[in-house]
Amino acid sequence: MRVLLTGSAGFIGGHVAAALSGHDVVTADLRTGVDVRDAGALDRLLPGVDAVVHQAAKVGLGVNVADLPGYASANVYGTAVLLAAMARHDVHRLVLASSMVVYGEGAYACQAHGRVRPAPRHPADLDLGRFEPGCPACGSALTPLPVGEDAAPDPRNAYATTKLAQEHLAAGWARETGGVAVALRYHNVYGPGMPRDTPYAGVASIFLSALRAGRSPRVFEDGRQRRDFIHVKDVARANVLALGAGTPGGLSAYNVATGSPRTVGDLARALAGHTGGPEPVTTGEYRLGDVRHITAAANLAAAELGFECEIGFQEGLADLC
């Protein structure tokens, strides 16, 4: 299969390129002079292409509202230009790098009210160290649950909003063209080649940068916020499997995750152990756009893509360190 891979020089894109070694891969990346917002460049690359694996994106939570135009341009406008070009060149298969951030908070259960979706956490509560969201009906404590692909989206920052917009654009393209769109909702990806020393880096990269500089990782909130940390090589393999999935005329979404959640504190302590660095410090600080718990139900990807993680948490961190 001839595959156009966007974002091919990025962290995840580079690993996807390696995983696609059995295919004829055409690469496109801003770092190598190809911008997916450039329709002319896409018109030169797309003839003869059978599928597009779209990794190119502006990532991370962002710094402040000044980042909004950059996220909208790279992620929303860039995807729109790409999809329009795919339609011009009769390319009918798309694998889209989406994200668990489209869910907002994960799934929760209240003892009295069953499954509920809490509202965004209030700064006054966070200032007082009240990090756990309460039931929107009665305020009681909640039990976090794995979130499935059928959960209603509830993006809570600029990056999350643009990733959901990408999914909506891909779904519209699939309906209008009869194309096949598969959205892979990555959970917290880590591994060799992670971006470092940038406010747009992921938490594993931030912790590792501190440890390599001889500093304690600074763990926000109380360190008990839950995530699903997945190795980038497993994510790359999911992209290859997704090339054979999906239904014409629609978008299929899959969590790409281990199904084995860990806390952010667990991650910091494990990285400190692997590097021999100082123990983490729990600071009580918070970022307003962060959610408390977001972990995945991973059974749909197993059933429909044949995808299961092969790299365990400790093994993956050892590979990273």
Side-chain angles (χ1 to χ4, degrees), residues 240-305:
V240 178
L241 292 170
L243 285 170
T247 302
L251 179 139
S252 302
Y254 299 95
N255 285 326
V256 177
T258 68
S260 299
R262 305 276 180 161
T263 69
V264 173
D266 289 339
L267 174 69
R269 287 186 290 273
L271 285 171
H274 280 288
T275 60
E279 285 295 304
V281 174
T282 302
T283 69
E285 297 170 271
Y286 64 86
R287 298 190 303 179
L288 195 57
D290 278 341
V291 297
R292 179 60 174 173
H293 303 295
I294 176 70
T295 63
N299 52 303
L300 188 63
E304 297 189 6
L305 300 182

Side-chain angles (χ1 to χ4, degrees), residues 3 27 33 41 78 100 118 126 130 132 135 140 148 190-191 214-216 225 237 240 270 279 302:
V3 178
T27 59
M100 54 87 173
L126 297 172
R130 297 172 182 162
E132 293 289 344
C135 175
S140 297
Y190 70 93
R215 303 190 306 270
S216 293
Q225 55 270 49
R237 191 165 47 82
V240 178
E279 285 295 304

Side-chain angles (χ1 to χ4, degrees), residues 73-194:
S73 177
N75 298 354
V76 182
Y77 180 66
T79 299
V81 173
L82 174 63
L83 293 170
M86 290 173 64
R88 285 195 302 276
H89 293 277
D90 295 320
V91 181
H92 295 294
R93 181 169 291 276
L94 172 72
V95 177
L96 171 68
S98 187
S99 173
M100 54 87 173
V101 296
V102 302
Y103 297 120
E105 283 285 353
Y108 291 84
C110 171
Q111 189 172 5
H113 296 96
R115 291 179 71 96
V116 295
R117 175 64 62 92
R121 297 180 295 170
H122 197 279
D125 290 328
L126 297 172
D127 287 339
L128 293 171
R130 297 172 182 162
F131 301 122
E132 293 289 344
C135 175
C138 67
S140 297
L142 299 173
T143 301
L145 303 171
V147 63
E149 291 85 351
D150 58 350
D154 186 18
R156 298 190 175 182
N157 57 56
Y159 174 62
T161 301
T162 61
K163 296 309 286 184
L164 182 59
Q166 286 183 315
E167 289 196 15
H168 287 320
L169 288 169
W173 163 84
R175 285 193 300 272
E176 292 190 31
T177 65
V180 175
V182 177
L184 299 179
R185 293 174 177 168
Y186 302 160
H187 283 247
N188 285 70
V189 186
Y190 70 93
M194 291 186 307

Side-chain angles (χ1 to χ4, degrees), residues 2-94:
R2 187 170 176 83
V3 178
L4 172 62
L5 172 62
T6 73
S8 57
F11 163 45
I12 298 175
H15 287 274
V16 173
L20 286 169
S21 59
H23 296 272
D24 179 11
V25 180
V26 179
T27 59
D29 193 282
L30 193 59
R31 299 168 185 81
T32 57
V34 179
D35 190 331
V36 295
R37 294 168 289 191
D38 183 345
L42 294 175
D43 285 337
R44 292 189 292 273
L45 294 175
L46 281 168
V49 164
D50 302 300
V52 172
V53 177
H54 184 31
Q55 304 291 319
K58 183 178 177 70
V59 301
L61 183 64
V63 176
N64 54 43
V65 293
D67 280 330
L68 288 173
Y71 278 106
S73 177
N75 298 354
V76 182
Y77 180 66
T79 299
V81 173
L82 174 63
L83 293 170
M86 290 173 64
R88 285 195 302 276
H89 293 277
D90 295 320
V91 181
H92 295 294
R93 181 169 291 276
L94 172 72

Side-chain angles (χ1 to χ4, degrees), residues 215-232:
R215 303 190 306 270
S216 293
R218 295 176 61 82
V219 181
F220 282 13
E221 302 188 16
D222 58 4
R224 296 174 185 164
Q225 55 270 49
R226 288 154 55 92
R227 299 291 187 269
D228 192 312
F229 298 101
I230 180 168
H231 195 278
V232 67

